[in-house]
Amino acid sequence: MNSSFNFYIPTNIVFGPGRIKELASMELPGEKALIVTTAGKSVIKFGYLDMVKDALKEHGIDSVVYNKILPNPILDHVMEGAQVARDNNCDFIIGLGGGSPIDSAKSIAIMVNNPGNYWDYIHGGTGKGQPVTEPVLPLVAIPTTAGTGTESDPWTVITNMETQEKIGFGLVPQTFPVISIVDPELMVSIPPHLTAYQGMDAFFHAAEGYLANISQPASDHFALGSIELINKYLPRAVKDGSDMEARTALAWASTQSGLVESTSSCISQHSMEHALSAFDPSVTHGAGLIMLSIPYFTFMAEKVPARFPAMAKAMGVDVDALPENERPMAFISALKDLIKNIGCDDLNINDFKLDKSQCEALAENAMTAMGFLFSLDPYEMSKEECVAIFEKVFEG
C-alpha cells in the first residue's frame, strides 16, 4: 500500500432501486443527448430505452439514439457514433446499458470535438499517443449491468479490429461521468450466465486493484468490500435474478470496484484477457477473466503471497486458523469454490476460436497493447512467464 496518493472522484453517483425515475428532474449537463446503447434487444424489450427517452422528453431535452454497440465495442462504432453526435448537434452523451455502451459513450464523447481517428489518442500498441486538445462532451452513465464499474471510473476499453488490439484509455477528469444513475431495478433482467460473468469482472477489478503496486488505503477498503459482497451475493443473483437484495449488493460492488479502478488499477490479468477477446471477440470479457484466473492468481500467490490472505479472509476463510504457509493459497481455493457456485467451472478456452499454439502471440499482444498494466503488477512478469500462464489456461 502506498502512503502517498491522490483521491479524486468527480462523479455524482445516484444509487438505489427506483432512482432512474429521478432522471426527469435532475440537472443534466446539456440540452440534446446522444443516447449510446447496445445493438441487442434488451434495452428495448425491458423498456429501459423508452424510460430514458421519456424522462428526457419530460425534462424538455431532445435525444438521438445510436444503438450499434457490440459486446466488445469497436473503433468503427466510436467514430460513427461521434459523427452522429456532430450531425445532430448533441452537446452531451448518455451511455445506457452494460460496460460496452458506457465505454463507447466515453470514447464518443472524446471524438465529437477532436480531429482525426480515435486511435490517434491511444497510448500503447499502434496508438499514436497524441494529446486530446479539444473539449470532451459531458457524460451521463446509466448501467443496466453490475460488472465493469465504468460508471465510477474514467476508463474506456475499445477494440481495433484491424490490428487485433483491445486497449484501455481515459482522461482525468474529462471521461469520468458527470452523473451515474445506478438503479439495481434495471439489472433484474440479466440472465444467469451474464450475471456471473459480469459479477466476476467486478471481482477481478477488486482483486487486481488490491494487488497492484499503486494500491492505497481507499482502494484497499473498496477492494476488500467488493470481494466480500460478490462472494456472498453473486451465487444468489445467479440462482434468482429477482433477488433485489442480491442485485443491490452487486450493483454497489460493481460501482465500488470502479472506485478501485479510480484509486488503484487493474494489473496484467486484464491485459491478458484483452488479448484473448481481441483474438476472438466471442470471448465475453468476464468469461475470459474466469478462465485465466486460477493459473494467473496461483502464479501471483506463489511469487508475492503477502496480500492474498486478506482477500481470502474477505471471502469468509478463517485464515488465522491455517498454517501461515497455507494462507495465500486459501484465496485460490475460495476462488475455485466461487466459480463453481456460480456455474462457471465448466468454462473451457478450447471451446472458443483460440488455440494453444497462439500462446506466444497472445502474450506478445498483452504485453504490447496493454503493457502498461504489467508495470503495475506486484511482481515483474517475464514474457516467458506470461506465455506459461496462457499455456496452463489451455491445459485446464
Side-chain angles (χ1 to χ4, degrees):
M1 182 190 78
N2 286 285
S3 58
S4 177
F5 56 87
N6 293 350
F7 187 137
Y8 177 53
I9 313 292
T11 302
N12 177 17
I13 298 172
V14 180
F15 185 94
R19 299 205 68 182
I20 187 63
K21 299 180 183 70
E22 297 177 29
L23 179 63
S25 58
M26 65 177 56
E27 184 177 350
L28 296 174
E31 297 180 354
K32 188 170 186 179
L34 178 72
I35 303 172
V36 178
T37 191
T38 175
K41 299 177 181 178
S42 61
V43 293
I44 296 173
K45 177 181 177 181
F46 297 106
Y48 304 149
L49 180 58
D50 283 342
M51 194 182 300
V52 170
K53 290 167 65 178
D54 291 347
L56 292 174
K57 189 174 182 181
E58 186 178 340
H59 212 310
I61 291 176
D62 291 332
S63 63
V64 178
V65 176
Y66 181 74
N67 61 352
K68 294 186 179 181
I69 305 304
L70 301 174
N72 278 308
I74 63 173
L75 169 62
D76 288 354
H77 291 160
V78 170
M79 298 305 298
E80 187 174 76
Q83 188 60 52
V84 172
R86 282 193 292 270
D87 291 345
N88 289 276
N89 297 312
C90 296
D91 58 0
F92 75 108
I93 313 291
I94 295 177
L96 171 66
S100 298
I102 297 175
D103 278 13
S104 299
K106 293 177 182 180
S107 299
I108 288 168
I110 292 170
M111 290 311 301
V112 172
N113 291 322
N114 281 281
N117 188 285
Y118 177 72
W119 224 247
D120 294 341
Y121 304 99
I122 293 295
H123 297 265
T126 60
K128 296 181 181 177
Q130 293 179 1
V132 173
T133 57
E134 301 303 317
V136 176
L137 292 192
L139 171 78
V140 174
I142 306 174
T144 61
T145 66
T148 67
T150 190
E151 66 272 11
S152 55
D153 72 41
W155 313 119
T156 166
V157 178
I158 302 296
T159 298
N160 184 333
M161 296 293 286
E162 289 185 8
T163 60
Q164 286 189 308
E165 293 172 305
K166 184 176 179 181
I167 300 180
F169 181 60
L171 301 166
V172 178
Q174 296 97 313
T175 50
F176 271 106
V178 175
I179 302 166
S180 289
I181 304 174
V182 185
D183 186 339
E185 290 183 358
L186 304 185
M187 302 173 187
V188 296
S189 59
I190 306 167
H193 72 289
L194 291 180
T195 296
Y197 297 166
Q198 292 158 5
M200 291 308 292
D201 186 19
F203 180 94
F204 294 124
H205 287 163
E208 291 178 56
Y210 189 71
L211 294 176
N213 60 29
I214 57 168
S215 67
Q216 45 119 317
S219 65
D220 284 356
H221 176 77
F222 294 141
L224 294 176
S226 289
I227 288 169
E228 181 178 0
L229 287 172
I230 294 164
N231 185 67
K232 180 177 180 180
Y233 288 102
L234 184 56
R236 280 177 49 174
V238 170
K239 183 178 180 180
D240 177 8
S242 65
D243 183 337
M244 188 50 62
E245 182 184 12
R247 287 293 189 193
T248 302
L250 291 173
W252 173 244
S254 174
T255 299
Q256 189 170 230
S257 288
L259 297 174
V260 176
E261 291 288 273
S262 299
T263 51
S264 180
S265 178
C266 283
I267 54 175
S268 59
Q269 187 199 12
H270 261 68
S271 301
M272 294 172 71
E273 196 295 314
H274 286 177
L276 291 177
S277 48
F279 277 43
D280 181 1
S282 73
V283 178
T284 304
H285 178 55
L289 290 168
I290 292 168
M291 290 184 287
L292 276 164
S293 64
I294 300 303
Y296 179 87
F297 285 103
T298 298
F299 172 85
M300 283 295 179
E302 290 171 348
K303 297 295 184 182
V304 280
R307 305 214 98 196
F308 281 84
M311 293 196 293
K313 188 172 184 178
M315 297 181 77
V317 178
D318 184 3
V319 293
D320 295 331
L322 297 174
E324 191 168 349
N325 65 324
E326 293 180 14
R327 293 175 186 176
M329 288 302 167
F331 172 78
I332 306 301
S333 298
L335 178 56
K336 288 179 179 178
D337 288 343
L338 175 57
I339 291 169
K340 182 177 181 180
N341 290 339
I342 60 172
C344 290
D345 52 330
D346 60 350
L347 278 172
N348 190 327
I349 196 68
N350 296 292
D351 293 335
F352 295 88
K353 297 174 185 176
L354 295 162
D355 188 83
K356 187 178 178 182
S357 63
Q358 296 173 296
C359 286
E360 186 162 349
L362 287 164
E364 180 67 29
N365 182 287
M367 300 186 89
T368 301
M370 289 195 67
F372 174 68
L373 295 188
F374 284 82
S375 72
L376 305 180
D377 283 345
Y379 167 83
E380 187 174 347
M381 187 190 304
S382 69
K383 181 180 176 182
E384 291 73 24
E385 288 168 328
C386 186
V387 171
I389 293 171
F390 275 122
E391 288 175 344
K392 288 182 180 177
V393 174
F394 282 94
E395 291 162 3

